[in-house]
């Protein structure tokens, strides 16, 4: 199987309640398209407003912002429910981000296939912070990995002994490129947005961004043109199911 390919399987398109659009006068397709544009490409809310205007849809940048806040997380949850189970090797890493002049740490977990498990913005990177992140991962994945791969930060070892002592642990900087490379799209968006405004806004944006953007990022160099078009068509179909664009009336 080609790395990263989403293969249709039983339950992939199961009927799951779509987000509620009650009270919104815009078509579902317009709302989902604005959210997709903002999280998939380095576009500001005003740039999304301009792109929609070119297509004949008049919507303000403030409305786009509210849509992204309201629907970003539900869309991500829908995508994760349709994603195959995470791998049994978790790569963990943390990088610092400057928010209002203060140093914060972005914790990230990915599996051996590069799928983002979760992200968490915290002010510290001590053992307490590591335990909090590991507990969040375990709760979301409802499982523990076969092995953890981290850098040499000792906080990981303390947290692993406290929460998952039976799990193997490999601490070596050279083994953790999978998690370190996963930070690159976040750094690109951070530069495009000229930094984050607060830890809370960073957490909200990155939680949605880390789920939506990778869904549409495929390993293009590993596929032929026909395979790439098929994969992207499948992923857009899943997106339509998640957002409610399929099987629901055009206007809610």
């Amino acid at each position: 199987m080609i790395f990263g390919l989403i293969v249709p399987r039983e339950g992939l398109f199961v009927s799951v309640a779509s987000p509620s659009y009650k009270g919104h006068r815009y078509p579902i397709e317009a709302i989902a398209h604005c959210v997709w544009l903002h999280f998939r490409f380095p576009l500001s809310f005003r740039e999304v407003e301009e792109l929609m205007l070119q297509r004949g849809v008049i919507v303000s940048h403030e409305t786009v912002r509210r849509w992204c806040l309201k629907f970003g997380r539900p869309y991500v949850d829908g995508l994760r429910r349709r994603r195959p189970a995470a791998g049994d090797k978790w790569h963990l890493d943390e990088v610092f981000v400057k928010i209002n002049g203060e140093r914060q740490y972005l914790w990230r977990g990915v599996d051996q296939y590069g799928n983002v498990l979760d992200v968490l913005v915290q002010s510290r990177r001590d053992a307490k912070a590591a335990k909090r992140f590991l507990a969040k991962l375990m709760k979301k994945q409802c499982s523990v990995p076969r092995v953890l791969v981290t850098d040499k930060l000792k906080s990981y070892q303390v947290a692993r002994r406290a929460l998952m002592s039976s799990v193997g642990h490999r601490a070596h900087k050279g083994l953790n490129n999978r998690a370190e490379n996963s930070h690159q799209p976040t750094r690109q968006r951070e530069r495009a947005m000229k930094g984050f405004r607060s830890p809370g806004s960073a957490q909200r944006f990155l939680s949605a961004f880390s789920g939506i953007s990778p869904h549409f990022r495929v390993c293009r160099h590993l596929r032929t043109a026909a395979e790439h078009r098929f994969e992207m068509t499948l992923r857009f179909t899943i997106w339509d199911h998640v957002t409610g664009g399929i099987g629901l009336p055009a206007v809610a």
Side-chain angles (χ1 to χ4, degrees):
M1 182 178 70
I2 298 176
F3 171 77
L5 183 67
I6 292 182
V7 179
R9 59 184 176 85
E10 183 181 359
L12 186 61
F13 298 115
V14 294
S15 177
V16 178
S18 300
S20 174
Y21 297 94
K22 184 178 180 180
H24 292 271
R25 62 185 179 88
Y26 284 85
I28 293 173
E29 292 81 1
I31 296 175
H33 190 68
C34 287
V35 175
W36 173 71
L37 283 173
H38 178 65
F39 287 112
R40 175 61 183 90
F41 304 102
L43 299 172
S44 68
F45 299 126
R46 294 181 185 274
E47 289 169 332
V48 173
E49 174 187 356
E50 185 176 340
L51 287 174
M52 296 302 290
L53 180 61
Q54 189 274 333
R55 300 187 61 176
V57 179
I58 300 176
V59 58
S60 72
H61 64 276
E62 180 61 22
T63 298
V64 175
R65 184 188 70 83
R66 290 198 298 266
W67 287 347
C68 291
L69 284 176
K70 180 176 180 179
F71 295 108
R73 187 57 182 269
Y75 289 171
V76 169
D77 291 341
L79 290 174
R80 284 175 175 161
R81 283 194 293 266
R82 290 163 173 81
R83 186 183 301 166
D88 61 357
K89 182 187 291 186
W90 294 0
H91 296 254
L92 309 182
D93 191 45
E94 79 293 334
V95 295
F96 77 88
V97 291
K98 281 283 188 179
I99 301 178
N100 285 336
E102 296 184 2
R103 172 170 290 192
Q104 303 284 335
Y105 293 94
L106 172 61
W107 298 71
R108 182 187 303 274
V110 302
D111 64 12
Q112 66 264 43
Y113 307 115
N115 299 314
V116 179
L117 305 175
D118 207 351
V119 296
L120 182 63
V121 178
Q122 301 190 87
S123 60
R124 305 177 68 87
R125 59 171 184 168
D126 54 13
K128 183 178 180 181
K131 290 179 183 177
R132 183 185 179 196
F133 182 54
L134 273 186
K136 190 171 189 286
L137 284 178
M138 293 167 61
K139 181 178 179 180
K140 176 160 288 189
Q141 300 302 320
C142 299
S143 65
V144 295
R146 175 179 55 85
V147 62
L148 285 178
V149 181
T150 70
D151 55 23
K152 293 186 177 181
L153 182 66
K154 294 182 179 179
S155 300
Y156 289 118
Q157 186 65 267
V158 175
R160 184 197 64 84
R161 286 198 300 263
L163 299 178
M164 48 178 72
S165 58
S166 62
V167 173
H169 183 210
R170 301 175 186 172
H172 190 281
K173 186 175 180 61
L175 295 175
N176 212 27
N177 289 336
R178 176 70 69 189
E180 292 174 358
N181 290 339
S182 184
H183 288 301
Q184 293 180 5
T186 298
R187 288 300 195 193
Q188 294 170 358
R189 290 305 297 267
E190 183 185 17
R191 289 192 294 269
M193 298 169 66
K194 299 180 180 179
F196 301 111
R197 300 297 181 265
S198 68
S201 65
Q203 179 67 47
R204 286 190 295 271
F205 172 80
L206 293 174
S207 294
F209 174 75
S210 298
I212 294 175
S213 181
H215 180 73
F216 297 99
R217 292 177 181 269
V218 300
C219 298
R220 179 65 181 87
H221 64 287
L222 298 178
R223 297 179 171 87
T224 65
E227 290 171 340
H228 178 259
R229 286 192 292 269
F230 172 78
E231 175 68 7
M232 291 303 298
T233 299
L234 179 59
R235 296 193 180 209
F236 277 117
T237 302
I238 295 173
W239 174 256
D240 289 339
H241 277 270
V242 166
T243 60
I246 293 180
L248 288 176
V251 179

